[in-house]
Amino acid sequence: MTHFLTKTFIATAAFAALATCAFAQEAAPWELKPDMGYAYDKDGKTWSYKMGTNNAGTLLKGAKKVPKGTLFFIGQNGQLYMRSGPYLEGDGKFKFGSN
């Protein structure tokens, strides 16, 4: 019986920890690195790649700068979107967050 209660307690604690993380509303900076490439593939998966310098010219050809003030998000359909323009209220709160 003690073994069952221990497992139940551990499962409950793990669920509570996950639920707490899911409801966190704090913004956190991305840690993008200059020597890494980040990809969003045709299946909607994200990848990171260690980059070299031997094909840097080819990589930059056709590339576009991302404007400052751009918001990236996944829509309800699972598609990655970007939105340029204001996404913060005057007091610094996220416009599109929960109440």
XYZ file of all heavy atoms in Angstrom:
761
model
N 0.824 -1.195 0.000
C 0.000 0.000 0.000
C 0.868 1.258 0.000
O 0.547 2.229 -0.661
C -0.933 -0.039 1.223
C -1.890 1.101 1.285
S -3.062 0.956 -0.077
C -4.238 2.141 0.370
N 1.969 1.230 0.745
C 2.865 2.385 0.797
C 3.461 2.664 -0.572
O 3.592 3.823 -0.969
C 3.998 2.130 1.816
O 3.410 1.798 3.062
C 4.854 3.358 1.980
N 3.810 1.605 -1.314
C 4.366 1.751 -2.666
C 3.356 2.442 -3.576
O 3.714 3.332 -4.349
C 4.753 0.375 -3.209
C 5.416 0.409 -4.538
N 6.650 0.984 -4.726
C 5.013 -0.043 -5.757
C 6.981 0.880 -5.998
N 5.998 0.263 -6.647
N 2.093 2.071 -3.482
C 1.039 2.689 -4.288
C 0.899 4.160 -3.944
O 0.799 5.012 -4.826
C -0.288 1.951 -4.068
C -1.448 2.615 -4.750
C -1.636 2.479 -6.115
C -2.340 3.391 -4.027
C -2.697 3.097 -6.754
C -3.403 4.023 -4.656
C -3.579 3.879 -6.017
N 0.899 4.513 -2.661
C 0.766 5.909 -2.243
C 1.965 6.736 -2.697
O 1.819 7.885 -3.111
C 0.607 5.997 -0.723
C -0.728 5.485 -0.169
C -0.721 5.533 1.340
C -1.880 6.282 -0.728
N 3.150 6.157 -2.656
C 4.346 6.860 -3.108
C 4.247 7.167 -4.598
O 4.523 8.293 -5.022
C 5.610 6.019 -2.828
O 5.655 5.741 -1.425
C 6.861 6.751 -3.239
N 3.842 6.164 -5.393
C 3.681 6.376 -6.839
C 2.615 7.436 -7.114
O 2.785 8.287 -7.983
C 3.307 5.072 -7.549
C 4.466 4.179 -7.826
C 4.016 3.016 -8.685
C 5.190 2.246 -9.197
N 4.796 1.179 -10.107
N 1.521 7.397 -6.387
C 0.450 8.372 -6.570
C 0.943 9.773 -6.237
O 0.681 10.734 -6.968
C -0.767 8.014 -5.681
O -1.187 6.693 -5.995
C -1.907 8.989 -5.881
N 1.690 9.915 -5.145
C 2.220 11.217 -4.757
C 3.181 11.749 -5.822
O 3.106 12.921 -6.207
C 2.935 11.112 -3.404
C 3.589 12.391 -2.999
C 2.836 13.438 -2.495
C 4.950 12.574 -3.146
C 3.430 14.636 -2.141
C 5.552 13.759 -2.792
C 4.795 14.797 -2.288
N 4.057 10.911 -6.326
C 5.027 11.331 -7.347
C 4.302 11.744 -8.623
O 4.610 12.770 -9.226
C 6.058 10.219 -7.622
C 6.965 10.062 -6.406
C 6.883 10.523 -8.860
C 7.883 8.867 -6.459
N 3.311 10.970 -9.037
C 2.541 11.302 -10.244
C 1.795 12.622 -10.064
O 1.775 13.464 -10.961
C 1.564 10.180 -10.580
N 1.207 12.833 -8.891
C 0.490 14.079 -8.627
C 1.436 15.269 -8.628
O 1.135 16.317 -9.193
C -0.254 13.992 -7.271
O -1.115 12.855 -7.304
C -1.042 15.236 -6.986
N 2.604 15.108 -8.014
C 3.591 16.192 -7.984
C 4.083 16.525 -9.387
O 4.231 17.699 -9.745
C 4.762 15.805 -7.091
N 4.324 15.499 -10.205
C 4.779 15.726 -11.588
C 3.706 16.449 -12.387
O 3.996 17.388 -13.128
C 5.137 14.395 -12.248
N 2.459 16.042 -12.236
C 1.361 16.700 -12.955
C 1.233 18.156 -12.515
O 1.066 19.048 -13.336
C 0.041 15.962 -12.715
C -1.118 16.620 -13.384
C -1.330 16.499 -14.745
C -2.003 17.398 -12.654
C -2.387 17.123 -15.371
C -3.067 18.030 -13.268
C -3.262 17.896 -14.623
N 1.344 18.405 -11.225
C 1.244 19.786 -10.719
C 2.380 20.639 -11.273
O 2.174 21.794 -11.644
C 1.272 19.775 -9.192
N 3.571 20.081 -11.354
C 4.710 20.828 -11.900
C 4.484 21.161 -13.372
O 4.749 22.283 -13.807
C 5.998 20.021 -11.732
N 3.988 20.213 -14.135
C 3.710 20.464 -15.545
C 2.595 21.486 -15.717
O 2.672 22.362 -16.565
C 3.337 19.158 -16.260
C 4.480 18.166 -16.456
C 3.937 16.856 -17.018
C 5.543 18.739 -17.367
N 1.564 21.382 -14.910
C 0.449 22.319 -15.006
C 0.907 23.727 -14.649
O 0.503 24.699 -15.269
C -0.688 21.875 -14.086
N 1.768 23.851 -13.656
C 2.284 25.160 -13.271
C 3.069 25.772 -14.414
O 2.917 26.951 -14.720
C 3.178 25.032 -12.022
O 2.399 24.463 -10.975
C 3.703 26.380 -11.585
N 3.901 24.991 -15.091
C 4.677 25.495 -16.228
C 3.761 25.908 -17.376
O 4.021 26.898 -18.043
C 5.665 24.432 -16.719
S 6.958 24.076 -15.523
N 2.700 25.163 -17.588
C 1.806 25.446 -18.712
C 1.067 26.765 -18.531
O 0.721 27.420 -19.500
C 0.804 24.306 -18.873
N 0.831 27.182 -17.300
C 0.090 28.406 -17.059
C 0.995 29.620 -16.864
O 0.506 30.721 -16.654
C -0.833 28.241 -15.849
C -1.943 27.268 -16.096
C -1.980 26.058 -15.435
C -2.937 27.552 -17.019
C -3.002 25.156 -15.676
C -3.958 26.650 -17.267
C -3.993 25.451 -16.591
N 2.292 29.443 -16.942
C 3.204 30.568 -16.769
C 3.020 31.559 -17.908
O 2.913 31.181 -19.058
C 4.646 30.063 -16.728
N 2.954 32.833 -17.583
C 2.723 33.868 -18.577
C 3.945 34.763 -18.786
O 3.873 35.714 -19.531
C 1.525 34.723 -18.156
C 0.235 33.951 -18.098
C -0.188 33.420 -19.452
O -0.132 34.128 -20.450
N -0.592 32.166 -19.512
N 5.015 34.497 -18.108
C 6.206 35.321 -18.225
C 6.852 35.140 -19.586
O 6.973 34.031 -20.086
C 7.219 34.938 -17.136
C 6.753 35.238 -15.736
C 6.755 36.719 -15.421
O 7.644 37.445 -15.913
O 5.847 37.150 -14.692
N 7.275 36.251 -20.180
C 8.020 36.183 -21.434
C 9.475 35.875 -21.117
O 9.992 36.285 -20.087
C 7.912 37.510 -22.175
N 10.119 35.136 -21.986
C 11.536 34.807 -21.811
C 12.248 35.008 -23.146
O 11.683 34.687 -24.194
C 11.687 33.355 -21.349
N 13.449 35.565 -23.123
C 14.155 35.793 -24.395
C 14.609 34.499 -25.047
O 14.943 33.538 -24.360
C 15.355 36.644 -23.984
C 15.551 36.362 -22.541
C 14.211 36.002 -21.971
N 14.565 34.482 -26.357
C 15.156 33.381 -27.106
C 16.656 33.518 -26.992
O 17.179 34.630 -26.951
C 14.810 33.485 -28.581
C 13.461 33.009 -28.971
C 12.482 32.497 -28.182
C 12.955 33.008 -30.295
N 11.404 32.179 -28.922
C 11.663 32.486 -30.235
C 13.464 33.398 -31.526
C 10.879 32.332 -31.352
C 12.672 33.250 -32.633
C 11.398 32.722 -32.548
N 17.334 32.420 -27.014
C 18.787 32.461 -27.016
C 19.278 31.959 -28.369
O 19.740 30.835 -28.497
C 19.342 31.635 -25.865
C 19.011 32.250 -24.523
C 19.715 31.573 -23.380
O 20.841 31.071 -23.566
O 19.123 31.535 -22.293
N 19.145 32.816 -29.382
C 19.626 32.486 -30.713
C 21.111 32.777 -30.772
O 21.566 33.786 -30.252
C 18.879 33.312 -31.765
C 17.356 33.155 -31.764
C 16.745 34.054 -32.824
C 16.952 31.714 -31.998
N 21.860 31.904 -31.404
C 23.311 32.053 -31.474
C 23.744 32.311 -32.909
O 23.166 31.760 -33.841
C 23.982 30.796 -30.923
C 23.639 30.539 -29.473
C 24.255 29.252 -28.983
C 23.823 28.986 -27.551
N 24.296 27.702 -27.079
N 24.777 33.128 -33.102
C 25.214 33.474 -34.455
C 25.720 32.289 -35.276
O 25.669 32.319 -36.493
C 26.340 34.475 -34.236
C 26.433 34.726 -32.794
C 25.524 33.807 -32.077
N 26.206 31.245 -34.653
C 26.756 30.110 -35.409
C 25.750 28.967 -35.581
O 26.118 27.846 -35.869
C 28.036 29.607 -34.748
C 27.814 29.124 -33.321
O 26.774 29.474 -32.724
O 28.677 28.413 -32.795
N 24.468 29.288 -35.391
C 23.431 28.269 -35.501
C 22.398 28.704 -36.531
O 22.142 29.887 -36.718
C 22.730 28.072 -34.154
C 23.618 27.528 -33.048
S 24.185 25.848 -33.342
C 22.654 24.943 -33.254
N 21.801 27.725 -37.210
C 20.690 27.960 -38.117
C 19.455 27.306 -37.523
O 19.541 26.232 -36.922
N 18.314 27.949 -37.660
C 17.068 27.441 -37.097
C 16.076 27.253 -38.232
O 15.878 28.157 -39.038
C 16.535 28.410 -36.045
C 17.542 28.649 -34.944
C 18.451 29.699 -35.026
C 17.626 27.799 -33.851
C 19.400 29.913 -34.042
C 18.575 27.995 -32.859
C 19.455 29.056 -32.956
O 20.399 29.247 -31.983
N 15.465 26.097 -38.286
C 14.593 25.772 -39.419
C 13.215 25.329 -38.934
O 13.071 24.747 -37.858
C 15.227 24.660 -40.247
N 12.231 25.609 -39.772
C 10.857 25.152 -39.583
C 10.530 24.383 -40.850
O 10.337 24.964 -41.913
C 9.960 26.383 -39.415
C 8.500 26.092 -39.216
C 8.036 25.490 -38.051
C 7.571 26.453 -40.172
C 6.688 25.246 -37.866
C 6.223 26.210 -39.999
C 5.796 25.613 -38.845
O 4.452 25.369 -38.657
N 10.527 23.059 -40.767
C 10.437 22.248 -41.986
C 9.015 22.102 -42.514
O 8.048 22.586 -41.924
C 11.133 20.891 -41.798
C 10.375 19.902 -40.924
O 9.192 20.114 -40.620
O 10.987 18.881 -40.557
N 8.901 21.427 -43.652
C 7.605 21.285 -44.325
C 6.592 20.483 -43.520
O 5.398 20.555 -43.784
C 7.801 20.646 -45.701
C 8.370 19.249 -45.655
C 8.592 18.701 -47.050
C 9.278 17.366 -46.939
N 8.525 16.279 -47.454
N 7.047 19.739 -42.515
C 6.145 18.971 -41.664
C 5.794 19.711 -40.375
O 5.118 19.173 -39.506
C 6.764 17.616 -41.321
C 6.987 16.766 -42.564
O 6.107 16.769 -43.449
O 8.046 16.121 -42.655
N 6.292 20.959 -40.241
C 5.996 21.752 -39.057
C 6.905 21.480 -37.878
O 6.623 21.921 -36.777
N 8.006 20.774 -38.092
C 8.962 20.512 -37.017
C 10.042 21.587 -37.033
O 10.358 22.140 -38.082
C 9.606 19.139 -37.196
C 8.624 17.999 -37.048
C 9.307 16.675 -37.237
C 8.299 15.548 -37.178
N 8.893 14.265 -37.480
N 10.585 21.866 -35.868
C 11.665 22.836 -35.780
C 12.986 22.115 -35.566
O 13.046 21.078 -34.915
C 11.428 23.829 -34.628
O 11.238 23.093 -33.422
C 10.213 24.695 -34.881
N 14.049 22.686 -36.141
C 15.373 22.083 -36.088
C 16.408 23.173 -35.848
O 16.204 24.323 -36.223
C 15.711 21.387 -37.412
C 14.740 20.317 -37.774
C 13.618 20.451 -38.535
C 14.780 18.952 -37.376
N 12.967 19.250 -38.649
C 13.662 18.308 -37.934
C 15.650 18.208 -36.599
C 13.401 16.966 -37.739
C 15.385 16.865 -36.414
C 14.270 16.259 -36.976
N 17.518 22.813 -35.261
C 18.649 23.735 -35.169
C 19.871 23.024 -35.742
O 20.037 21.817 -35.576
C 18.887 24.169 -33.722
O 19.164 23.070 -32.897
N 20.679 23.795 -36.452
C 21.851 23.258 -37.142
C 23.077 24.071 -36.785
O 23.021 25.300 -36.741
C 21.666 23.346 -38.671
C 20.490 22.562 -39.197
C 19.269 23.181 -39.428
C 20.609 21.211 -39.484
C 18.189 22.474 -39.934
C 19.528 20.501 -39.982
C 18.329 21.127 -40.199
O 17.266 20.431 -40.686
N 24.187 23.407 -36.560
C 25.473 24.072 -36.387
C 25.921 24.523 -37.767
O 25.915 23.749 -38.714
C 26.490 23.093 -35.783
C 27.878 23.641 -35.623
C 27.948 24.543 -34.433
C 29.413 24.934 -34.212
N 29.533 26.218 -33.591
N 26.285 25.803 -37.876
C 26.624 26.351 -39.180
C 28.129 26.545 -39.325
O 28.824 26.764 -38.361
C 25.900 27.677 -39.395
C 24.394 27.481 -39.437
S 23.459 28.980 -39.644
C 24.173 29.684 -41.079
N 28.562 26.492 -40.560
C 29.952 26.760 -40.907
C 30.022 28.015 -41.758
O 29.040 28.722 -41.936
N 31.194 28.282 -42.325
C 31.365 29.503 -43.113
C 31.621 29.224 -44.587
O 31.658 30.151 -45.384
C 32.542 30.320 -42.561
O 33.709 29.501 -42.571
C 32.259 30.811 -41.162
N 31.777 27.961 -44.986
C 32.168 27.671 -46.366
C 31.100 28.019 -47.404
O 31.411 28.211 -48.560
C 32.632 26.214 -46.516
C 31.577 25.221 -46.101
O 30.636 25.559 -45.406
N 31.750 23.983 -46.503
N 29.836 28.100 -47.032
C 28.774 28.446 -47.985
C 27.966 29.658 -47.513
O 26.803 29.792 -47.847
C 27.821 27.260 -48.193
C 28.466 26.141 -48.969
O 29.333 26.386 -49.794
N 28.059 24.919 -48.700
N 28.596 30.551 -46.771
C 27.883 31.690 -46.200
C 27.277 32.574 -47.280
O 26.161 33.068 -47.135
C 28.808 32.504 -45.304
N 27.984 32.780 -48.389
C 27.459 33.604 -49.478
C 26.191 33.023 -50.054
O 25.231 33.749 -50.335
N 26.164 31.717 -50.248
C 24.976 31.050 -50.776
C 23.819 31.165 -49.790
O 22.670 31.373 -50.184
C 25.278 29.570 -51.055
O 26.396 29.494 -51.932
C 24.088 28.868 -51.672
N 24.114 31.032 -48.507
C 23.083 31.133 -47.474
C 22.447 32.521 -47.471
O 21.221 32.659 -47.392
C 23.684 30.840 -46.098
C 22.741 30.961 -44.912
C 21.657 29.900 -44.967
C 23.522 30.859 -43.620
N 23.249 33.565 -47.593
C 22.726 34.926 -47.543
C 21.998 35.338 -48.816
O 21.154 36.226 -48.786
C 23.855 35.916 -47.252
C 24.377 35.876 -45.815
C 25.627 36.721 -45.680
C 23.311 36.320 -44.836
N 22.294 34.680 -49.929
C 21.630 35.011 -51.196
C 20.139 34.663 -51.067
O 19.773 33.527 -50.796
C 22.262 34.228 -52.344
C 21.791 34.678 -53.718
C 22.451 33.870 -54.809
C 23.850 34.422 -55.028
N 24.520 33.813 -56.174
N 19.302 35.649 -51.244
C 17.863 35.431 -51.142
C 17.314 35.520 -49.725
O 16.110 35.472 -49.531
N 18.194 35.653 -48.726
C 17.723 35.763 -47.347
C 17.195 37.173 -47.098
O 17.604 38.130 -47.757
C 18.862 35.456 -46.380
N 16.258 37.298 -46.173
C 15.678 38.587 -45.822
C 15.832 38.815 -44.325
O 15.715 37.879 -43.541
C 14.196 38.631 -46.191
C 13.969 38.497 -47.669
C 12.495 38.466 -47.997
C 12.343 38.271 -49.496
N 11.014 37.929 -49.890
N 16.084 40.061 -43.955
C 16.171 40.412 -42.544
C 14.780 40.362 -41.936
O 13.793 40.750 -42.571
C 16.739 41.819 -42.374
C 18.189 41.945 -42.756
C 18.654 43.372 -42.519
C 20.090 43.549 -42.951
N 20.542 44.943 -42.767
N 14.700 39.903 -40.707
C 13.438 39.922 -39.969
C 13.348 41.285 -39.293
O 14.252 41.676 -38.560
C 13.384 38.799 -38.911
C 12.128 38.908 -38.065
C 13.475 37.439 -39.574
N 12.273 42.026 -39.547
C 12.147 43.348 -38.931
C 12.048 43.255 -37.408
O 11.447 42.316 -36.879
C 10.842 43.910 -39.506
C 10.430 42.992 -40.585
C 11.149 41.700 -40.402
N 12.624 44.236 -36.723
C 12.438 44.312 -35.278
C 10.960 44.515 -35.019
O 10.240 45.118 -35.824
C 13.252 45.471 -34.702
C 14.734 45.219 -34.773
C 15.514 46.360 -34.167
C 16.996 46.051 -34.282
N 17.815 47.133 -33.721
N 10.481 44.010 -33.906
C 9.059 44.128 -33.586
C 8.215 43.066 -34.259
O 7.030 43.266 -34.495
N 8.811 41.915 -34.598
C 8.085 40.827 -35.253
C 7.721 39.762 -34.228
O 8.548 39.355 -33.430
C 8.935 40.203 -36.373
O 9.260 41.217 -37.322
C 8.206 39.080 -37.077
N 6.488 39.314 -34.268
C 5.993 38.266 -33.389
C 5.817 36.998 -34.211
O 5.234 37.032 -35.294
C 4.640 38.691 -32.789
C 3.899 37.659 -31.953
C 4.650 37.395 -30.655
C 2.483 38.128 -31.675
N 6.324 35.879 -33.724
C 6.134 34.573 -34.357
C 5.186 33.769 -33.477
O 5.289 33.802 -32.249
C 7.467 33.820 -34.473
C 8.468 34.525 -35.336
C 9.389 35.392 -34.785
C 8.490 34.323 -36.708
C 10.315 36.050 -35.582
C 9.409 34.971 -37.509
C 10.324 35.837 -36.951
N 4.265 33.029 -34.095
C 3.347 32.210 -33.318
C 2.803 31.072 -34.181
O 2.824 31.142 -35.400
C 2.194 33.050 -32.746
C 1.353 33.740 -33.783
C 0.168 33.169 -34.226
C 1.751 34.958 -34.319
C -0.605 33.805 -35.184
C 0.974 35.599 -35.274
C -0.202 35.021 -35.707
N 2.329 30.048 -33.519
C 1.703 28.907 -34.180
C 0.192 29.113 -34.099
O -0.364 29.303 -33.016
C 2.079 27.570 -33.498
C 3.590 27.366 -33.479
C 1.360 26.401 -34.167
C 4.205 27.082 -34.822
N -0.472 29.085 -35.253
C -1.923 29.237 -35.301
C -2.630 27.956 -34.889
O -2.006 26.910 -34.695
N -3.944 28.029 -34.780
C -4.742 26.864 -34.388
C -4.608 25.724 -35.387
O -4.838 24.573 -35.042
C -6.210 27.249 -34.226
C -6.460 28.132 -33.033
C -7.917 28.506 -32.889
O -8.683 28.484 -33.851
N -8.304 28.859 -31.681
N -4.222 26.050 -36.622
C -4.054 25.023 -37.647
C -2.650 24.416 -37.642
O -2.321 23.618 -38.502
C -4.365 25.605 -39.024
C -3.457 26.775 -39.367
O -2.609 27.171 -38.582
N -3.643 27.340 -40.539
N -1.793 24.824 -36.689
C -0.447 24.286 -36.598
C 0.558 24.988 -37.494
O 1.731 24.632 -37.514
N 0.139 25.992 -38.222
C 1.005 26.735 -39.144
C 1.766 27.819 -38.380
O 1.212 28.457 -37.500
C 0.146 27.378 -40.242
C 0.903 28.246 -41.223
C 1.891 27.457 -42.061
O 1.561 26.407 -42.581
N 3.089 27.965 -42.174
N 3.039 28.020 -38.738
C 3.834 29.094 -38.159
C 3.491 30.401 -38.859
O 3.453 30.465 -40.090
C 5.336 28.799 -38.320
C 6.295 29.863 -37.797
C 6.196 29.989 -36.279
C 7.721 29.524 -38.200
N 3.223 31.434 -38.080
C 2.910 32.760 -38.601
C 3.875 33.779 -38.014
O 4.487 33.549 -36.984
C 1.483 33.177 -38.218
C 0.401 32.399 -38.891
C -0.136 31.259 -38.307
C -0.097 32.801 -40.125
C -1.143 30.539 -38.928
C -1.110 32.091 -40.751
C -1.618 30.963 -40.146
O -2.613 30.255 -40.765
N 3.966 34.931 -38.682
C 4.686 36.067 -38.137
C 3.820 37.297 -38.323
O 3.040 37.390 -39.276
C 6.045 36.247 -38.800
C 6.015 36.522 -40.283
S 7.644 36.693 -40.998
C 7.928 38.423 -40.786
N 3.932 38.208 -37.382
C 3.147 39.437 -37.438
C 4.059 40.591 -37.071
O 4.656 40.595 -36.000
C 2.000 39.362 -36.441
C 1.132 40.603 -36.381
C 0.078 40.441 -35.286
N -0.924 41.472 -35.362
C -0.830 42.652 -34.769
N 0.246 42.966 -34.083
N -1.797 43.536 -34.883
N 4.195 41.546 -37.965
C 4.946 42.751 -37.654
C 3.969 43.787 -37.144
O 2.841 43.884 -37.612
C 5.652 43.279 -38.907
O 6.635 42.363 -39.317
N 4.393 44.521 -36.186
C 3.526 45.538 -35.611
C 3.407 45.339 -34.121
O 3.971 44.402 -33.558
N 2.680 46.228 -33.484
C 2.604 46.177 -32.032
C 1.977 44.884 -31.514
O 0.971 44.426 -32.042
C 1.744 47.382 -31.666
C 1.357 48.056 -32.920
C 1.902 47.292 -34.072
N 2.607 44.325 -30.512
C 2.045 43.155 -29.837
C 2.080 43.323 -28.326
O 1.712 42.427 -27.589
C 2.743 41.857 -30.271
C 4.237 41.852 -30.097
C 4.817 41.484 -28.904
C 5.066 42.229 -31.146
C 6.193 41.493 -28.754
C 6.433 42.235 -31.006
C 6.990 41.870 -29.808
O 8.353 41.885 -29.653
N 2.508 44.512 -27.869
C 2.504 44.819 -26.443
C 1.594 46.013 -26.191
O 1.500 46.930 -27.011
C 3.915 45.146 -25.949
C 4.954 44.034 -26.036
C 6.310 44.551 -25.581
C 4.538 42.823 -25.230
N 0.911 45.998 -25.052
C 0.101 47.136 -24.621
C 1.045 48.238 -24.149
O 2.241 48.016 -23.979
C -0.828 46.719 -23.462
C -1.800 45.610 -23.804
C -2.956 46.077 -24.679
O -3.090 47.287 -24.937
O -3.725 45.210 -25.106
N 0.514 49.408 -23.884
C 1.314 50.522 -23.397
C 2.021 50.237 -22.084
O 3.100 50.769 -21.817
N 1.434 49.348 -21.263
C 2.053 49.007 -19.976
C 3.024 47.833 -20.084
O 3.522 47.347 -19.082
C 0.979 48.703 -18.929
C 0.071 47.544 -19.316
O 0.275 46.933 -20.393
O -0.855 47.239 -18.544
N 3.280 47.368 -21.319
C 4.232 46.271 -21.528
C 3.624 44.888 -21.484
O 4.323 43.907 -21.682
N 2.326 44.781 -21.241
C 1.667 43.463 -21.212
C 1.401 43.002 -22.635
O 1.139 43.798 -23.536
C 0.353 43.530 -20.442
C 0.542 43.715 -18.957
C -0.777 43.652 -18.247
C -0.574 43.820 -16.748
N -1.856 43.910 -16.043
N 1.432 41.699 -22.832
C 1.189 41.085 -24.124
C -0.269 41.298 -24.529
O -1.187 40.943 -23.779
C 1.537 39.599 -24.044
C 1.471 38.865 -25.348
C 2.215 39.269 -26.436
C 0.671 37.746 -25.487
C 2.163 38.589 -27.642
C 0.606 37.056 -26.674
C 1.362 37.476 -27.753
N -0.499 41.887 -25.711
C -1.856 42.194 -26.183
C -2.747 40.979 -26.341
O -3.951 41.042 -26.157
C -1.796 42.873 -27.568
C -1.679 44.330 -27.569
C -1.779 44.827 -29.011
C -1.722 46.310 -29.070
N -1.892 46.841 -30.413
N -2.158 39.879 -26.737
C -2.943 38.713 -27.136
C -2.957 37.622 -26.094
O -3.339 36.493 -26.363
C -2.405 38.186 -28.471
C -2.305 39.276 -29.514
C -1.084 39.817 -29.850
C -3.441 39.774 -30.119
C -0.983 40.834 -30.800
C -3.367 40.788 -31.066
C -2.130 41.314 -31.403
N -2.551 37.941 -24.877
C -2.531 36.948 -23.796
C -3.892 36.744 -23.197
O -4.877 37.391 -23.552
N -3.939 35.825 -22.244
C -5.208 35.575 -21.542
C -5.483 36.754 -20.617
O -4.623 37.566 -20.322
C -5.121 34.277 -20.753
O -4.079 34.372 -19.801
N -6.715 36.841 -20.171
C -7.131 37.960 -19.304
C -6.266 37.947 -18.121
O -5.846 38.475 -17.377
C -8.594 37.836 -18.917
C -9.452 37.881 -20.174
O -9.076 38.429 -21.195
N -10.620 37.291 -20.080
